Amino acid sequence: MKEPLDHTFIKEINLHIGIAHKVCNIYFLGSEEREDVLQEMLYQLWKSFPHFQKNAKFSTWMYRVCLNTALTYLMKNKKNQSEALSPRHLLIPDPEDSQDEKTRMLYRSIESLSQLNKAIILLYLEDLRYEEIAE
């Protein structure tokens, strides 16, 4: 018997939820903003899941949706930003952040990259094949 669409979606999302968290950590520094974008990513994934054609792995498709959602969110909210954070602001520790120091340093370094290079590094760190990254 075929599994209902919503059960399949929930099962796949639970297996790959780390993808959405990684994209959020790469593109968004504030924990409140990360939560907002994570919710938007899940909404976009749910909305587009019926159109997932299984030409690629679910994780590759999920990366694509999450990256597009993050970039769209950044473009929409770029107009509303009045002041960019200085490098000094990035050194203030987030008390809710349980990441180790090396991981935080990695995220700060990646933050300085262009949007496209962030996406490429993120996919590379996930050990995706070059063909999958190119998709």
Side-chain angles (χ1 to χ4, degrees):
M1 180 160 66
K2 190 172 179 174
E3 194 171 88
L5 189 62
D6 57 344
H7 290 187
T8 303
F9 175 78
I10 291 169
K11 185 172 92 177
E12 289 292 336
I13 290 297
N14 285 332
L15 286 172
H16 299 95
I17 193 66
I19 292 170
H21 285 286
K22 288 173 190 169
V23 172
C24 285
N25 286 334
I26 292 289
Y27 285 96
F28 304 97
L29 297 175
S31 61
E32 287 180 21
E33 193 172 37
R34 280 194 305 257
E35 291 174 20
D36 290 345
V37 176
L38 181 63
Q39 287 179 6
E40 181 64 22
M41 286 176 182
L42 292 173
Y43 171 71
Q44 293 300 327
L45 287 162
W46 172 250
K47 194 168 94 173
S48 59
F49 186 68
H51 306 290
F52 172 53
Q53 298 180 4
K54 299 181 175 101
N55 294 343
K57 292 191 305 187
F58 181 86
S59 59
T60 304
W61 172 79
M62 186 170 172
Y63 266 114
R64 185 179 306 157
V65 173
C66 288
L67 284 169
N68 286 338
T69 303
L71 294 174
T72 300
Y73 184 91
L74 285 171
M75 295 302 243
K76 284 182 180 178
N77 291 312
K78 196 173 194 178
K79 301 171 201 168
N80 299 333
Q81 293 177 352
S82 58
E83 179 184 340
L85 291 176
S86 71
R88 181 177 56 84
H89 289 111
L90 299 176
L91 299 176
I92 299 171
D94 184 357
E96 297 176 8
D97 196 3
S98 63
Q99 301 167 346
D100 65 1
E101 183 59 30
K102 287 183 180 181
T103 304
R104 284 193 295 271
M105 286 174 48
L106 175 64
Y107 284 131
R108 283 195 303 261
S109 297
I110 292 172
E111 179 61 28
S112 68
L113 299 173
S114 70
Q115 303 299 341
L116 176 61
N117 286 334
K118 283 181 188 179
I120 292 169
I121 290 296
L122 178 66
L123 298 174
Y124 178 80
L125 290 174
E126 283 300 306
D127 291 328
L128 294 179
R129 296 185 340 262
Y130 292 125
E131 294 82 20
E132 292 175 303
I133 292 172
E135 285 181 23

